[in-house]
Amino acid sequence: ADLINASFHNLTLNYRSFNLFNNSSVFARLNYRKTADQVNNNTIFEPGSVVSSSTTINSPFDNESFTAFGRVSKQFGKIQTALGGNFSYNKSYQFINTLENTNESLVRGVNTSIGTNFRKAPNVRLRYNLSFVDQSNSARRADIKTVTHAPSINFDAYIWNSVTLKSDFTFNEVRQDGDLQNSFKIWNATLAYKKDRDAKWEYEMVGSNLLATGSQFSVNQNIVSFNINERFILPRFISFRVRYQL
């Protein structure tokens, strides 16, 4: 009965530009968000017991977040390039035994790509993503610094007017406080045969996870804890498919 409604303050600024004459585009976005009187749980842990309880309260502290994103792309003939970046800062509070804990996260990232756009020649696209994530919690008195490198390549070729070859390869490396935590490689490929563009029948051989990578790993923080996530991937799988187009 003592709770009051939270108040949300949200400010967003967008910028977009597209130039058809030099084949370039620019997009940028800024956002600031503040929450006053946030409805939070106050978790009570009983000493020497695994039993806990919680009550709902209005936080006396304001949660705040700021995000920024930008991307520039330009085409040079048949070559398409792009460069982007992102930044975000988030500050929130949690309550344990009536004591406030401050959660803070700082994320910076850069992504770039270059690729071809031919109608008949093979097409290749290269991408590289780099991100830095700093996470801290006042109760733990420890910071987690995570760096992720993620280059990738996509290949697409139309051969002899009847065979299509597609392949994509991704490498991902996660380092935490300078130590290697996880790295994985994903390679997929597809080989398809179609007699001509108007043919009804198409035959495909599809290979998934050809390097037999076991799992993917990531680290993130929520309002209560740091989470280590491991996603298991299906083993190497090769299938033969027949498609008929009505």
Side-chain angles (χ1 to χ4, degrees):
D2 296 329
L3 293 176
I4 62 175
N5 294 327
S7 300
F8 297 92
H9 307 268
N10 192 70
L11 176 64
T12 301
L13 177 65
N14 290 324
Y15 174 80
R16 186 189 301 271
S17 173
F18 176 74
N19 191 318
L20 187 62
F21 296 100
N22 61 10
N23 293 320
S24 66
S25 64
V26 179
F27 175 76
R29 177 185 176 90
L30 299 175
N31 177 261
Y32 173 76
R33 183 181 178 92
K34 183 175 74 171
T35 306
D37 298 316
Q38 173 71 54
V39 178
N40 279 358
N41 287 331
N42 178 31
T43 304
I44 306 298
F45 291 97
E46 302 294 338
S49 172
V50 296
V51 179
S52 65
S53 61
S54 65
T55 58
T56 306
I57 63 173
N58 285 107
S59 173
F61 306 102
D62 297 340
N63 292 348
E64 293 181 291
S65 68
F66 175 78
T67 60
F69 170 82
R71 180 179 175 84
V72 179
S73 64
K74 182 173 176 59
Q75 184 170 334
F76 302 91
K78 295 297 184 178
I79 307 297
Q80 180 70 44
T81 63
L83 176 65
N86 61 282
F87 172 90
S88 68
Y89 172 77
N90 183 76
K91 185 177 183 179
S92 59
Y93 296 88
Q94 65 184 99
F95 296 86
I96 300 177
N97 295 340
T98 69
L99 298 177
E100 74 274 4
N101 294 321
T102 306
N103 292 307
E104 292 184 281
S105 66
L106 181 63
V107 179
R108 295 91 69 205
V110 177
N111 59 84
T112 182
S113 67
I114 181 171
T116 59
N117 187 26
F118 299 111
R119 292 183 59 87
K120 295 183 178 181
N123 286 301
V124 178
R125 179 170 295 276
L126 301 173
R127 294 186 178 92
Y128 184 79
N129 296 334
L130 175 64
S131 67
F132 302 88
V133 181
D134 298 341
Q135 301 168 320
S136 63
N137 182 284
S138 60
R140 299 180 184 87
R141 297 181 180 179
D143 298 339
I144 293 181
K145 298 182 182 295
T146 305
V147 181
T148 302
H149 300 267
S152 65
I153 180 172
N154 291 70
F155 177 80
D156 188 343
Y158 192 54
I159 308 170
W160 303 315
N161 295 326
S162 58
V163 178
T164 302
L165 175 63
K166 297 180 180 180
S167 182
D168 60 87
F169 174 81
T170 300
F171 174 77
N172 194 291
E173 179 187 86
V174 179
R175 289 186 175 272
Q176 191 177 99
D177 295 330
D179 298 326
L180 179 63
Q181 296 296 319
N182 183 262
S183 65
F184 58 86
K185 304 173 184 177
I186 303 294
W187 179 31
N188 304 308
T190 300
L191 183 64
Y193 171 78
K194 192 175 183 179
K195 185 177 181 181
D196 52 57
R197 295 182 182 272
D198 299 325
K200 300 292 185 180
W201 292 94
E202 185 176 15
Y203 308 91
E204 287 185 338
M205 182 172 64
V206 180
S208 302
N209 192 19
L210 293 174
L211 300 178
T213 300
S215 63
Q216 297 180 2
F217 176 88
S218 64
V219 179
N220 57 65
Q221 175 189 350
N222 60 27
I223 190 65
V224 177
S225 61
F226 293 114
N227 296 325
I228 299 176
N229 300 318
E230 187 174 14
R231 184 175 68 178
F232 294 93
I233 306 172
L234 289 174
R236 182 189 298 113
F237 187 79
I238 299 177
S239 61
F240 297 91
R241 306 175 186 180
V242 177
R243 180 183 292 111
Y244 179 78
Q245 182 178 354
L246 297 175

